[in-house]
Structures are given as structure tokens and as C-alpha cells.
Amino acid sequence: MAEITPIVMPKWGLSMQEGKVNEWLVPVGTRVEVGMAILDVETDKLANAVEATDAGLLRRQIAQAGEVLPVKALLGVLAPQSVDEAQIDAYIAAWEVPQEENADDGEQASAFDSADVNGMQLRYRKAGNGAKTILLIHGFGGDLNNWLFNIDALAEDHTVLALDLPAHGGSSAQLPASANYVGLASVVLQLLDQLDIDQVSILAHSMGGGIASQLAIDHPERVEKLALVSPAGFGEDVNMDYIDGFVRAESRRDLKPVLGLLLANPDDVSRGMVDDTLKYKRLDGISEALQTLAQNLFCNGEQISRPGLALNTASHPLMILWGDADRIIDPAQADNAPAGTVLHRFADSGHMCHMDKAAEVNALLKAFF
């Protein structure tokens, strides 16, 4: 049965144990290509399309809309026409879901490490063992889990280091004395020093793009390449309905429409995503830290600092990826990037194209890095 290829429930993030099938996006008989969105799955954290990891003819849809299935459960089958229905029936009947360890909070925590940087505890995760390191820097209000669709793909060829910035994710609520791009870039540099990492390429999102640009400017020898997703630091305007709304929101009712601004389809915001964000925002000191960052970086609808404009692609090759439906930072700001920038735009994608266009983005990132 070597010609039969399974489509299985993916594992998105360390805590995912199961997913709910919302709908198939392609009918039986479709010639599936790698990266094609084939069905929509929802977890307690988010909803997203399952993208094909193999090419082939879709012969069978096993999972039905509304079913909740464990990670690695058989969702469908790819096989050429030469494989008869009896062979497919036998393959399905013999399929066993591989044993998935049920990670409790302690086991999940063990997948992360932390470092003390000037009294700030910074959480980070390392994956892969490549000769070169790619550093992942998330955006305002995010955390390292924003890269859950990208880490494994990049770790195939590189060492990947994803961190939680100060006052984000599992890091402490304390901010550096200079709570701006210069100060945050300095914190990132100190983390690299502690981990004995001499040079990195950087993948960064939104506010993280401003930090990455600042690090490349202040310490050019420590940065090789930059890939920036919907980056701050290349123009003046920013949607303060998102920034201020995120800072102020104290309930699900207030927060859900704010989070909806991140996505091309606001309906993709799950209850789990809202609940996790509220849990983070209610930690001691987080609201005050977010307010400070908002004032220092995005005051009165204007980006106070624009380090991206000072980049030089001759010394730091630069790729920018942007969703055309971004409602947080105008994609037109990519026009301000320095000469030699490689730009990729994504239709029907918002501020998080690294998540909702993950297969396409990952292919571009792997080629670039």
C-alpha cells in the first residue's frame, strides 16, 4: 500500500491534542498539490486550513464536518487511480492513531527554557540543530506561539530560537529602562550573548520587525538576514483601534473584535484565542507594560520610530511579507523599504500571513534563509 498517502490531523502547538473538522475545502477527485488548503480545522486556540504536505489524488474523505478527532487521526486518503477501492478500505481499516503523549502543564513547560536578563525572566524555545540560527521575534501582545506554523518547517535546516519579549507570553512583566526599539533590541542581544549565539538571521512580525531592524542597525555584525512580516518601522501610520483596543480590553466582548482586526476573516478568532489572551492580560503588571509600550512606540496613531528606513540590503538582505488585507499596518508602507528588498504580498491575508498562508510563507522563508 505504498502508493496510498494519509492526510492526518496536524499538531499545531505543543498543547494541541485534538481538532474539530469544520469543512472540506476540496471535493473527492481533486488533484492535490503541496501547500493546497484542503480542509478547515478548529482547535481550542484557533481555526485554520490544513494544507497538503504531499501531492496526489484525493480519493477519500474520512473525517466529516463536526467530528472532533485526535492529533494524527486519519482525515483522508490520497492515492492514484490504479489503487482500487478495496485497497483503500483495507488501508483505512488498518490505520491506528499513533500514541500521543498527553502533555500536562508541567510537561509543556519543560519544552521551554528561560534566561535572566537584567532581572527580567525571558522565556524561549529552541528547535532544530542546524549550523545557523534563525531568531523569531513576535509582535505587540503576541508570544512565541505565534510561530507555531513556522518553527518546525524552519527547524528542518536551522536551529530556531523563538522568544517571548519582556511583558509578553511567559516572560516577566518588567520592561527595560528604555522601553522602545533600542531598549528591546538590547534585551534581545543580551539573550543571544547568554546563549553564546554570535550571529542570527531574524524572522520578525509587526512590532518585532522594528526590534529586528534596530538590532541590525545597532549591531550589524550580529545579524545576517532579515525576513519581516507586516513590520512596524517602515512608515508613520498604525491602527490605534487595535493598539488602544488591545490595551484597554478587559472582557471577551471587548477583546474579540480587536483580535479580529488581525485576521482577514474575523470569524477565525476562536474562543480559546480570546480566553488565552485575556488570561495573559490579567497578569500583574501586563496592562501597565503594554500601555508604556503603546505610548513609546505607537503614540496618537503614529509610529514614533522607523528603524526599517535605515536598513541597507547590501549588508543585510531583506525580505518583507505582507497581507493585502492587513488592517493594522498599511501594506503600502512596504514601498518605503530600501532598494533591493524582496517583497511578497498575499491576497486574502491580513496582519498574520505567516499563520494563514503558512505553507507559502514557509517555502519562501526556507529559500531565503
Side-chain angles (χ1 to χ4, degrees), residues 53-92:
T53 57
D54 299 279
L57 182 67
L58 180 60
R59 292 288 302 277
R60 195 75 64 86
Q61 295 176 348
I62 300 163
Q64 300 301 309
E67 281 193 272
V68 177
L69 298 168
V71 167
K72 299 180 183 177
L74 190 62
L75 303 179
V77 167
L78 302 176
Q81 289 287 10
S82 58
V83 176
D84 63 36
E85 295 297 329
Q87 288 176 291
I88 294 176
D89 288 340
Y91 183 89
I92 295 170

Side-chain angles (χ1 to χ4, degrees), residues 226-229 317-321 341-344 361 364-365 368:
L226 294 165
L228 308 181
V229 179
L318 172 62
M319 180 168 72
I320 291 179
L321 307 107
T341 298
V342 177
L343 174 63
H344 297 281
V361 167
L364 291 169
L365 291 172
F368 178 70

